[in-house]
Amino acid sequence: MSDRFALRRRRLLAGATMLAAGAALPARAESKRIIVGTWGGDYSRLLAKNIEKPLLEPKGWDVIKDEANDPPRRAKMLAEKSLRRGSTDIQGLSAANMYDVNQQGLVEQLDYAQIPNSKNLIPAMKYPYGVGHIYSGKVILYNPKIIKTAPTSFAETLDPKMGDKLGIIDIQYQYTLVAAGMASGGSPSNVEPGKERLLACKKAGARIYPSNEAFAQAMKTEEIAVGIMWKARAVQWQNAGINVETVAAKEGVPMYISGFAVPKNAPDKPGAYAYLDAMLDPSAQEAFAVDMGYNPTVTNAKVPPEVQKRIGFTPDEQKRLVDLDYGYLAKNDVAFQEWWNKSFKA
């Protein structure tokens, strides 16, 4: 009996070991998953095309997207602050909003030693709490078929005289406020003078679109003919056959930097670092310049001269590049959203 019992016990132990090994398999597979918080639309599509499929999937990483505009994603990060494990490994945010989530204590202070490609990163794109992925500048864009005289300033663009041919993008509320402020005697650190201008434009018929893509469709159908947008997006739309030209405003060119930060409670921080490194790979940066019209944030990306001419800025325009006051925007963002939603959009 004792021999039979011992044999049975060995079999049970062997079976338990196999079950434990089997149970461990999903955990190992899980460790190769990266959950990316990002905008949807073109940006998400190009992240997959230029970063995830060519650079991460061959290394066994499975990328899952958590797509939404950034206000609800930031709200979700804040709601998850007390959790040991959050729901995302990495979050795509503007430089202004990376500053904001850092101030709230939501993101990692990065270890750049784990990002080999960061050795080529432009210093201005290297934040302690996030990495700049791409950048461009806010410019005027217009349809030359309809707007015969090109606007040269934000004041001429955000003007009630444009009536219902002026388009404004809902998710770009911070930058629209900055441009309106600059057009009205304010600055990136004081947008208040621009509010009256925007209200007058809305009253005169300016149209509000929920997304960049909806704005592009309205430009394509000629429902609108003028607005403000990143130069990079305008280049992308030109490539798609939309009749649009761009002008760097006299008041200045507010810079837009899109990047990624890692939540403190990210479930898979190695995956997050793998994503940060892949996005700085020269091939990915070059592809984004061609596909999306944004300037690379690494110095070793080789952008074709004809592309660089279209997406970049002349020496004179570079002098007018304006960085945003991230502290001011973060401090006042809740008030800006409330005014935008209740006073401007209502």
Side-chain angles (χ1 to χ4, degrees):
M1 283 294 290
S2 61
D3 290 343
R4 287 198 300 271
F5 179 78
L7 178 61
R8 183 182 178 191
R9 186 171 181 273
R10 285 196 295 271
R11 286 173 177 171
L12 287 171
L13 287 172
T17 302
M18 291 178 67
L19 285 171
L25 286 175
R28 286 197 294 269
E30 183 82 3
S31 71
K32 294 293 287 184
R33 184 177 71 176
I34 309 171
I35 305 173
V36 180
T38 182
W39 303 270
D42 294 326
Y43 190 61
S44 180
R45 176 178 62 82
L46 292 174
L47 288 175
K49 175 179 179 286
N50 298 326
I51 299 173
E52 296 156 13
K53 291 186 183 300
L55 299 173
L56 291 169
E57 288 184 9
K59 295 180 179 179
W61 290 105
D62 179 25
V63 178
I64 297 174
K65 299 286 183 49
D66 179 19
E67 295 181 356
N69 290 331
D70 65 30
R73 286 191 286 111
R74 284 184 285 132
K76 187 177 180 181
M77 291 173 69
L78 184 59
E80 296 178 348
K81 183 177 182 179
S82 62
L83 300 180
R84 186 176 67 85
R85 289 166 63 90
S87 59
T88 57
D89 298 307
I90 191 166
Q91 282 282 349
L93 299 164
S94 68
N97 288 331
M98 285 196 291
Y99 177 95
D100 182 32
V101 293
N102 180 62
Q103 290 295 104
Q104 295 179 72
L106 302 179
V107 291
E108 284 282 297
Q109 302 303 293
L110 296 176
D111 176 8
Y112 276 89
Q114 296 189 54
I115 312 172
N117 282 317
S118 68
K119 65 180 181 294
N120 298 305
L121 190 62
I122 295 171
M125 306 297 168
K126 187 176 182 179
Y127 305 97
Y129 47 80
V131 182
H133 173 215
I134 51 178
Y135 79 94
S136 189
K138 183 72 82 174
V139 297
I140 301 159
L141 63 159
Y142 69 100
N143 183 333
K145 174 184 170 184
I146 299 171
I147 306 295
K148 301 299 184 182
T149 302
T152 60
S153 65
F154 288 140
E156 292 175 36
T157 305
L158 300 173
D159 190 321
K161 292 179 182 178
M162 293 296 182
D164 63 2
K165 288 303 177 184
L166 171 63
I168 294 173
I169 302 169
D170 188 16
I171 64 172
Q172 302 274 351
Y173 68 93
Q174 282 188 333
Y175 291 88
T176 301
L177 282 165
V178 168
M182 293 171 68
S184 307
S187 71
S189 302
N190 178 22
V191 306
E192 294 302 318
K195 290 181 175 178
E196 184 177 347
R197 173 182 294 274
L198 289 174
L199 290 171
C201 288
K202 175 70 182 308
K203 185 177 180 180
R207 302 174 187 268
I208 301 174
Y209 296 93
S211 66
N212 301 331
E213 290 77 17
F215 179 93
Q217 181 63 24
M219 289 292 292
K220 182 177 181 178
T221 61
E222 300 183 354
E223 181 175 82
I224 57 173
V226 66
I228 60 173
M229 187 50 183
W230 317 124
K231 186 175 185 180
R233 284 282 184 159
V235 171
Q236 186 180 359
W237 296 338
Q238 289 168 344
N239 293 342
I242 299 176
N243 190 11
V244 61
E245 299 292 339
T246 66
V247 178
K250 289 179 179 178
E251 296 96 339
V253 182
M255 290 181 65
Y256 173 73
I257 300 167
S258 177
F260 283 90
V262 179
K264 282 186 176 179
N265 56 3
D268 194 331
K269 289 178 182 175
Y273 276 104
Y275 203 97
L276 291 173
D277 193 54
M279 81 180 193
L280 297 180
D281 188 276
S283 66
Q285 292 269 312
E286 291 159 7
F288 260 90
V290 172
D291 288 346
M292 208 170 185
Y294 281 86
N295 293 276
T297 58
V298 294
T299 57
N300 60 334
K302 295 179 172 58
V303 179
E306 63 275 12
V307 174
Q308 184 59 43
K309 184 176 180 180
R310 294 179 65 206
I311 71 175
F313 296 91
T314 67
D316 181 60
E317 291 169 347
Q318 288 176 14
K319 294 175 183 176
R320 302 207 299 276
L321 290 174
V322 177
D323 205 359
L324 301 186
D325 185 339
Y326 300 129
Y328 171 75
L329 292 176
K331 181 180 178 181
N332 294 283
D333 186 55
V334 172
F336 290 161
Q337 287 188 57
E338 184 175 4
W339 179 86
W340 185 265
N341 292 324
K342 295 182 178 180
S343 299
F344 178 62
K345 286 170 57 180

